[in-house]
């Protein structure tokens, strides 16, 4: 594969989100505009080579129960993207894009629990590696914050990489609480994207009925 192939693919998925509509109506606000992925504050983090077929939304510093909170995902390599708020540096969303198929509808499929203000997506293997690394840090008596040090870079979002090369996307959200996890589906019912929304209430924008609901 040529070096610029991932860049071209990332451009395609962003363009797909930018031209998608919610639940059918042509006049519905497109997802790219709605989530700000195509604007100047959208930040593509890159491809995530996952180990497993379920992804769990999680606080960066906590091991998620992937069996209970994980979402089944396609056997494709997703792109991780986020949207930053320039005034504060906080990130209003963390998204995974699995397909460049046009998105037809979206619905809330769970919550994104945050205790420390750092959001991450993890697989079961990631959670196990995080737990083991956290335990090794605790045995040294070091500050648990040393788990990540300063891994998120100047944009406060990146792939966290542990010493065993475990790698998963994370972002500094600067909010705490339970936040909605949205799933976006294509016309065949395939999962096209997942997005956790933090401090961003899109329910005041376009209506997002369940995907099985009739379109008026």
């Amino acid at each position: 594969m040529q070096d610029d192939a991932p860049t071209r693919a990332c451009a395609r998925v962003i363009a797909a989100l930018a031209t998608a509509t919610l639940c059918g109506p042509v006049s519905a606000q497109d997802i790219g505009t709605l989530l700000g992925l195509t604007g100047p504050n959208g930040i593509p983090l890159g491809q995530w080579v996952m180990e497993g077929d379920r992804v769990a939304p999680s606080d960066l510093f906590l091991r998620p129960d992937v069996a209970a909170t994980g979402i089944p995902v396609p056997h494709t390599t997703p792109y991780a993207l986020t949207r930053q708020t320039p005034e504060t540096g906080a990130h209003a969303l963390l998204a995974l894009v699995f397909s460049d198929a046009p998105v037809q509808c979206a619905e809330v499929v769970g919550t994104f629990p945050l205790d420390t203000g750092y959001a991450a997506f993890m697989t079961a293997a990631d959670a196990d590696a995080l737990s083991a690394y956290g335990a090794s840090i605790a045995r040294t008596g070091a500050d648990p914050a040393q788990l990540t040090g300063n891994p998120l870079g100047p944009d406060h979002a990146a792939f966290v990489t542990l010493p065993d090369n475990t790698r998963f996307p994370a972002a500094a959200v600067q909010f705490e609480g339970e936040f909605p996890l949205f799933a976006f589906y294509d016309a065949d019912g395939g999962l096209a994207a997942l997005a956790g929304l933090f401090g961003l209430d899109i329910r005041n924008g376009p209506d997002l009925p369940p995907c099985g609901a009739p379109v008026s």
Side-chain angles (χ1 to χ4, degrees), residues 58-60 94 112-114 116-121 152 169-173 198:
S58 178
D59 189 283
L60 172 59
L94 179 63
F112 213 123
L114 295 181
T116 67
Y118 289 86
F121 280 112
L152 302 184
V173 175
F198 318 111

Side-chain angles (χ1 to χ4, degrees), residues 53-171:
D53 57 3
R54 296 180 74 90
V55 170
S58 178
D59 189 283
L60 172 59
F61 291 91
L62 300 176
R63 172 185 174 179
D65 183 350
V66 179
T69 62
I71 307 298
V73 296
H75 293 283
T76 59
T77 301
Y79 273 88
L81 304 101
T82 186
R83 169 184 165 185
Q84 189 176 33
T85 304
E87 293 79 10
T88 65
H91 289 260
L93 67 86
L94 179 63
L96 297 175
V97 178
F98 294 90
S99 168
D100 59 2
V103 174
Q104 298 298 311
C105 58
E107 60 186 354
V108 176
V109 292
T111 60
F112 213 123
L114 295 181
D115 289 337
T116 67
Y118 289 86
F121 280 112
M122 299 183 204
T123 66
D126 300 329
D128 289 345
L130 183 67
S131 180
Y133 185 50
S136 69
I137 289 292
R139 285 194 295 270
T140 70
D143 185 334
Q146 295 300 314
L147 178 67
T148 59
N150 183 27
L152 302 184
D155 290 322
H156 308 291
F159 281 96
V160 172
T161 303
L162 302 182
D164 66 354
N165 292 320
T166 295
R167 181 175 178 267
F168 53 86

Side-chain angles (χ1 to χ4, degrees), residues 145-210:
Q146 295 300 314
L147 178 67
T148 59
N150 183 27
L152 302 184
D155 290 322
H156 308 291
F159 281 96
V160 172
T161 303
L162 302 182
D164 66 354
N165 292 320
T166 295
R167 181 175 178 267
F168 53 86
V173 175
Q174 300 180 21
F175 290 100
E176 298 176 8
E178 298 279 337
F179 300 93
L181 177 67
F182 278 85
F184 300 89
Y185 299 95
D186 62 26
D188 296 323
L191 180 66
L194 288 173
L197 306 185
F198 318 111
L200 179 68
D201 187 0
I202 67 172
R203 288 170 295 182
N204 293 330
D207 189 18
L208 294 176

